[in-house]
């Protein structure tokens, strides 16, 4: 619905628009008169060019009159005015003593009077730019006259008092001069600029306190606001608006400083009155201003009102509780929604309210962050014993006793945003603003709970239980709402809170089982009730991670070492394989199986210190991967990892048994795998060579290569090189990718192992400049034949891509 203003407000709006149109009409009439003067000036046609044979015929289009060089004219006039001004200043400062009192007065009077009179005939002759330059010089001369008058007629008077009077007189003179010569643009804005100083100089002259300067600036700002609203001409209004902003903000800054530094409520009354008057002035200006200025005025008025009203009770309270007072005052600005206030002003006041609330929340946020992130310090002392209070578990040095107001600030801010979300949905932007308010309320309410527990130093068990209940409430709310913004915010807060309380639960062994067991049940139950696939996937992943922690903790409780605990962790992976197979939602199944793969990685890392157990764990992982590969949709994704895990398990088992000749164990397996792969390729000619021959070749060649790198004799590398060469040639001949790649890689590494000592000797014999020189020649050769090498590489890639 569109906002329909009341008749009085609409009438004021029409008056402002008509005034603006009148000012614009005056500008257009001035421009029209100038254009008419230009068109009446005769234009002398240029002489015809000399006749040339075979020259093209001249154009029959009439010549347009050349546009006057306004830029050059303005530059010359400005430079001339500056030079005259410098000359006048130099005359006043340096040549003043060479003349008598009568001569000096006569010279300045004559020059000033002439400069003030000359613009009128210049305007009559339609020379507005020249008239503006002379008028600017005349204004400077009047300032010099005031300086000279003080030096001659009243040398003993106070400089600030005389400056205040002189500034007021100049304002009157320049205003009258500008109104009498209405076509000049300089005098009236200059009068506005001069009007900023009389009251300030007067306050300085009487040695007024800071509050006196504030009131002087505020009265000046009020005059500027009046000129900005009812002044004549755009330049005058813009200058007055700038002056009002500068003087008004300075006055409000002085009032705010006095209010904050007041020692008691009585001392804050005076600054509060100054702030309240400044807010009323800003509101009055915003009420009649245009949209952007009205919003800015509303913001200033709202902030000034908060500082004024809240400063009096806040002066009698400690700073931590004074923030609560300012927060409540800022929340009171939201009552503007129930008043008949112009929409731009209402937006500004609401922005001021949001700014106050946001500043209070930022002030209280460090305590909430410390309460949420503090448990990370417990990671170095897992199961070191349950602390007595929550502060001992946080491990962050903060003045908790002086932070009692931070949870109150967060709770009040959460309540205010919740009221906005519930009571006033129509005041926000088409649902998006309402969603933001609800999300902010959720985050603030969530942060207030751990902050309150930390400030009150709640017992460890009570703190853990309260945070678990908070996680359960957030999960229930997010699952019930579906997938909107508020549900996403609740889910994120729940996951972050679960991580925090999970780390907090690592302080004691019983707490670990209780916390992670509860989190696993909560995540699983929420996942079962959620109808959003992404939410279900995240919650299922969280439940699996909690189960992984419980499995590791169970091994530690049984007194098992890390390698012996690894098979117990694989139970979680086996459960994820079963859940993935039974899940009807593909995205959830993928999330469950990927989290199970992470648990398998944890098991491998736990067993890495014990080679026999590592071999067992790798083999069990291969079995689980092979079980997943039985499903058609997982055959390619799990089949290759299963083969790789089985190979890795075999290699680790051979290394752990101290076998120095692995070929005796791997070659029979490779032959059997080669036969199976060959049969597979005959049955399915479209199968890849990696599936058919990759496991067989890797089973023997990779362990042999690893042993050959540590073998000081020549027989094993020679036999391995011959076998790799044969496999490479066979792959190239039969156009099979796996034999070509595996054989070529093993052949290259085997040859590098054999040539490495000789290469080192050659490099030791070469001078130090030879390797860089050879590298440079190689780069030059490659650069010179870059296009040819690129075509060769492209042909090799295409040929490799056609292999199976």
């Amino acid at each position: 619905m569109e906002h329909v203003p009341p008749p009085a407000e609409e009438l004021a709006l029409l008056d402002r628009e008509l005034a603006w149109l009148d000012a614009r009409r005056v500008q257009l009439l001035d421009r029209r008169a100038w254009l008419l003067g230009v068109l009446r000036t005769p234009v002398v046609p240029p002489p015809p060019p000399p006749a040339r044979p075979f020259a093209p015929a001249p154009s029959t289009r009439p010549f347009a009159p050349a546009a006057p060089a306004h830029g050059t004219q303005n530059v010359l006039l400005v430079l001339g005015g500056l030079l005259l001004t410098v000359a006048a200043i130099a005359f006043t400062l340096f040549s003043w003593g060479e003349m008598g009192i009568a001569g000096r007065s006569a010279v300045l009077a004559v020059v000033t009077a002439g400069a003030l009179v000359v613009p009128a005939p210049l305007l009559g002759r339609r020379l507005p730019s020249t008239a503006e330059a002379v008028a600017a010089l005349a204004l400077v001369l009047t300032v010099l006259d005031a300086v000279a008058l003080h030096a001659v007629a009243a040398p003993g008077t106070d400089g600030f008092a005389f400056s205040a009077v002189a500034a007021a007189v100049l304002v009157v003179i320049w205003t009258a001069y500008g109104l009498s010569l209405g076509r000049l643009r300089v005098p009236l804005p200059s009068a506005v600029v001069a009007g900023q100083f009389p009251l300030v100089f007067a306050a300085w002259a009487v040695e007024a306190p800071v509050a006196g300067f504030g009131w002087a600036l505020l009265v000046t700002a009020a005059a500027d606001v009046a000129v900005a609203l009812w002044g004549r001409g755009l330049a005058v209004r813009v200058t007055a608006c700038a002056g009002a902003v500068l003087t008004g903000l300075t006055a409000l800054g002085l009032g705010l400083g006095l209010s904050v530094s007041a020692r008691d409520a009585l001392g804050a009354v005076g600054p509060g009155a100054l702030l309240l008057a400044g807010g009323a002035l800003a509101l009055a200006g915003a009420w009649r201003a245009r949209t952007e200025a009205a919003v800015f005025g509303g913001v200033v008025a709202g902030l000034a009102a908060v500082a004024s009203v809240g400063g009096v009770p806040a002066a009698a309270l400690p700073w931590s509780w004074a923030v609560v007072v300012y927060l409540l005052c800022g929340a009171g600005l939201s009552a503007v929604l129930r008043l008949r206030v112009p929409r731009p002003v209402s937006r500004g006041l609401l922005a001021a309210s949001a700014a106050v609330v946001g500043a209070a929340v930022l002030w209280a946020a460090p305590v909430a962050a410390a309460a949420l992130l503090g448990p990370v310090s417990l990671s170095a002392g897992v199961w070191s014993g349950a602390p007595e209070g929550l502060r001992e578990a946080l491990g962050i040095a903060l003045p908790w006793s002086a932070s009692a107001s931070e949870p109150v600030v967060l709770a009040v801010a959460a309540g205010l945003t919740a009221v906005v979300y519930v009571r006033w949905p129509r005041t926000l932007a088409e649902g998006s603003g309402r969603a933001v308010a609800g999300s902010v309320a959720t985050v603030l309410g969530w942060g207030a709970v751990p902050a309150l527990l930390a400030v009150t130093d709640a017992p460890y068990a009570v703190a853990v239980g309260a945070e678990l209940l908070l996680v359960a409430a957030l999960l229930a709310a997010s699952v019930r709402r579906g997938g909107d913004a508020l549900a996403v915010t609740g889910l994120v807060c729940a996951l972050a809170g679960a991580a925090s309380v999970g780390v907090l639960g690592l302080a004691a062994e019983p707490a670990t089982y209780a916390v992670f067991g509860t989190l696993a049940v909560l995540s699983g139950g929420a996942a079962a009730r959620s109808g959003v696939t992404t939410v279900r996937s995240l919650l299922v992943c969280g439940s699996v991670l909690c189960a992984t922690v419980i499995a590791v903790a169970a091994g530690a409780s049984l007194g098992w070492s890390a390698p012996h605990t690894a098979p117990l962790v694989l139970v979680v992976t086996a459960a994820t394989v079963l859940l993935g197979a039974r899940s009807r939602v593909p995205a959830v199944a993928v999330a469950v199986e990927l989290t199970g793969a992470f648990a398998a990685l944890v098991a491998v890392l736990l067993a890495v210190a014990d080679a026999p157990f590592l071999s067992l764990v790798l083999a069990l992982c291969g079995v689980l991967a092979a079980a997943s590969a039985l499903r058609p949709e997982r055959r390619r994704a799990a089949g290759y990892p299963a083969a790789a895990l089985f190979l890795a398990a075999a290699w680790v088992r051979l290394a752990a048994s101290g076998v120095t000749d692995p070929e005796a164990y791997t070659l029979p397996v490779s032959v059997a795998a080669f036969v199976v792969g060959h049969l597979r390729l005959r049955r399915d000619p479209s199968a890849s060579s990696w599936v058919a021959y990759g496991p067989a070749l890797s089973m023997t060649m990779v362990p042999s290569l690893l042993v050959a790198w540590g073998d000081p004799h020549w027989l094993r590398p020679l036999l391995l090189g011959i076998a790799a060469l044969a496999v490479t040639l066979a792959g190239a001949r039969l156009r099979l990718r796996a034999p070509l790649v595996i054989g070529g890689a093993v052949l290259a590494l085997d040859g590098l192992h054999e040539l490495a000592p000789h290469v080192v000797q050659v490099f030791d014999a070469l001078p130090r400049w030879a390797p860089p020189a050879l590298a440079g020649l190689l780069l030059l050769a490659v650069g010179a034949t870059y296009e040819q090498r690129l075509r060769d590489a492209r042909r090799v890639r295409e040929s490799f891509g056609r292999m199976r």
Side-chain angles (χ1 to χ4, degrees), residues 375-547:
V376 177
S377 60
L378 287 174
S379 58
V382 176
W383 290 5
S384 59
E388 296 182 359
L390 181 59
R391 295 182 188 175
E392 183 181 351
L394 296 179
I396 297 179
L398 281 180
W400 297 106
S401 58
S403 303
S405 62
E406 279 83 344
V408 178
V409 169
L410 294 174
V412 171
L416 292 174
T417 50
V419 169
V420 173
Y421 174 77
V422 175
R423 295 287 301 276
W424 293 318
R426 294 183 180 180
T427 63
L428 301 172
E430 295 298 331
S432 61
R434 187 167 185 260
V436 170
S439 300
V440 171
T442 302
V443 174
L444 294 178
W446 165 65
V449 174
L452 179 62
L453 295 174
V455 168
T456 57
D457 196 16
Y460 176 75
V462 174
V464 171
E467 293 195 21
L468 285 175
L469 289 176
L470 180 61
V471 171
L474 290 172
L475 286 176
S478 63
V479 169
R480 186 180 300 111
R481 293 193 61 88
D484 59 358
L486 192 57
V488 172
T489 304
L491 179 62
V492 172
C493 293
L495 294 178
S500 178
V501 71
V503 178
L504 187 63
L506 295 176
E509 183 177 357
T512 300
Y513 290 106
V515 169
F516 283 96
T518 304
L519 291 177
V521 173
L522 289 175
S523 300
R529 296 189 59 183
S530 176
V532 182
T533 302
T534 304
V535 174
R536 292 183 63 184
S537 301
L538 288 175
L539 293 176
V540 167
C541 291
S543 181
V544 172
L545 291 176
C546 292

Side-chain angles (χ1 to χ4, degrees), residues 506-600:
L506 295 176
E509 183 177 357
T512 300
Y513 290 106
V515 169
F516 283 96
T518 304
L519 291 177
V521 173
L522 289 175
S523 300
R529 296 189 59 183
S530 176
V532 182
T533 302
T534 304
V535 174
R536 292 183 63 184
S537 301
L538 288 175
L539 293 176
V540 167
C541 291
S543 181
V544 172
L545 291 176
C546 292
T548 303
V549 175
I550 293 174
V552 175
S557 298
L558 295 174
W560 294 353
S561 63
H564 289 76
T565 306
L568 186 60
V569 177
L570 288 180
V571 175
V572 179
T573 306
T576 59
V577 172
L578 294 177
L579 289 176
R582 294 175 61 86
S583 177
R584 298 179 181 180
V585 182
V588 176
V590 171
V592 169
E593 291 171 354
L594 288 177
T595 314
F598 175 77

Side-chain angles (χ1 to χ4, degrees), residues 261-339:
S261 61
R263 297 182 178 180
D264 51 15
L266 185 61
V269 172
L274 176 61
L275 290 169
L276 189 60
L281 176 62
L283 185 62
W287 204 282
R288 298 178 59 87
R290 298 182 183 274
T291 304
E292 295 79 6
V295 173
F296 177 75
V299 172
V300 174
L303 295 178
V306 170
S308 172
V309 177
V312 176
L317 297 173
W319 173 248
S320 58
W321 290 103
V323 176
V324 180
V325 175
Y326 286 117
L327 174 62
L328 294 176
C329 293
L333 291 177
S334 59
V336 71
L337 294 172
R338 296 181 176 268
L339 303 176

Side-chain angles (χ1 to χ4, degrees), residues 14 33 90 96 173 204 243 256 289 341 357 499 573 575 600 630 670 755 799:
L14 292 177
W96 188 256
I173 293 174
W204 221 319
L256 180 61
V341 179
V357 175
T573 306
L630 294 176
S670 295
L755 294 176
S799 177

Side-chain angles (χ1 to χ4, degrees), residues 9-455:
E9 181 181 346
E10 187 175 2
L11 180 60
L13 179 62
L14 292 177
D15 289 341
R16 289 197 298 270
E17 293 292 337
L18 290 174
W20 181 82
L21 289 175
D22 291 339
R24 182 59 179 165
R25 184 174 182 275
V26 171
Q27 295 177 359
L28 293 176
L29 289 176
D30 292 343
R31 182 66 178 175
R32 181 178 180 276
W34 182 84
L35 291 173
L36 289 175
V38 171
L39 292 176
R40 292 193 186 100
T41 303
V43 179
V44 180
R52 291 183 299 171
F54 307 106
S59 175
T60 58
R61 292 181 299 176
F63 289 98
H70 298 293
T72 305
Q73 179 188 12
N74 292 333
V75 170
L76 293 176
L77 291 174
V78 170
L79 289 178
L82 288 177
L83 290 176
L84 289 175
T85 303
V86 171
I89 295 173
F91 168 75
T92 304
L93 296 179
F94 302 109
S95 300
W96 188 256
E98 300 177 1
M99 303 177 64
I101 182 64
R104 292 178 296 198
S105 302
V107 168
L108 276 178
V110 170
V111 173
T112 304
L116 290 172
V117 171
V118 166
L122 289 176
L123 289 175
R125 293 180 177 272
R126 303 187 184 280
L127 297 174
S129 298
T130 308
E132 294 284 356
V134 177
L137 175 62
L139 299 182
V140 175
L141 288 175
T142 55
V143 177
L144 296 177
D145 285 337
V147 175
L149 182 62
H150 177 263
V152 174
T157 58
D158 182 69
F160 289 112
F162 185 86
S163 299
V165 175
V169 172
L170 289 177
V171 170
V172 175
I173 293 174
W174 291 355
T175 303
Y177 186 67
L179 292 175
S180 61
L181 298 177
R183 294 175 59 186
L184 291 178
R185 302 178 183 177
V186 175
L188 290 180
S190 301
V192 175
V193 174
Q196 312 303 313
F197 301 104
L199 292 179
V200 177
F201 284 150
W204 221 319
V206 299
E207 297 181 356
V210 178
F213 276 97
W215 282 107
L217 289 169
L218 190 60
V219 173
T220 304
D224 289 331
V225 169
V227 174
L229 292 176
W230 297 289
R232 174 181 174 182
L234 181 61
V236 174
R237 294 185 178 185
V238 171
T239 307
C241 185
V245 171
L246 180 60
T247 55
L249 291 182
T250 306
L252 292 177
L254 294 177
L256 180 61
L258 292 174
S259 178
V260 173
S261 61
R263 297 182 178 180
D264 51 15
L266 185 61
V269 172
L274 176 61
L275 290 169
L276 189 60
L281 176 62
L283 185 62
W287 204 282
R288 298 178 59 87
R290 298 182 183 274
T291 304
E292 295 79 6
V295 173
F296 177 75
V299 172
V300 174
L303 295 178
V306 170
S308 172
V309 177
V312 176
L317 297 173
W319 173 248
S320 58
W321 290 103
V323 176
V324 180
V325 175
Y326 286 117
L327 174 62
L328 294 176
C329 293
L333 291 177
S334 59
V336 71
L337 294 172
R338 296 181 176 268
L339 303 176
R340 295 180 63 84
V341 179
R343 183 175 294 271
V345 180
S346 176
R347 287 170 52 194
L349 292 173
L350 290 178
S353 176
V356 173
V357 175
V361 169
L362 289 178
W363 175 79
V367 173
L372 290 170
L373 301 178
V376 177
S377 60
L378 287 174
S379 58
V382 176
W383 290 5
S384 59
E388 296 182 359
L390 181 59
R391 295 182 188 175
E392 183 181 351
L394 296 179
I396 297 179
L398 281 180
W400 297 106
S401 58
S403 303
S405 62
E406 279 83 344
V408 178
V409 169
L410 294 174
V412 171
L416 292 174
T417 50
V419 169
V420 173
Y421 174 77
V422 175
R423 295 287 301 276
W424 293 318
R426 294 183 180 180
T427 63
L428 301 172
E430 295 298 331
S432 61
R434 187 167 185 260
V436 170
S439 300
V440 171
T442 302
V443 174
L444 294 178
W446 165 65
V449 174
L452 179 62
L453 295 174
V455 168

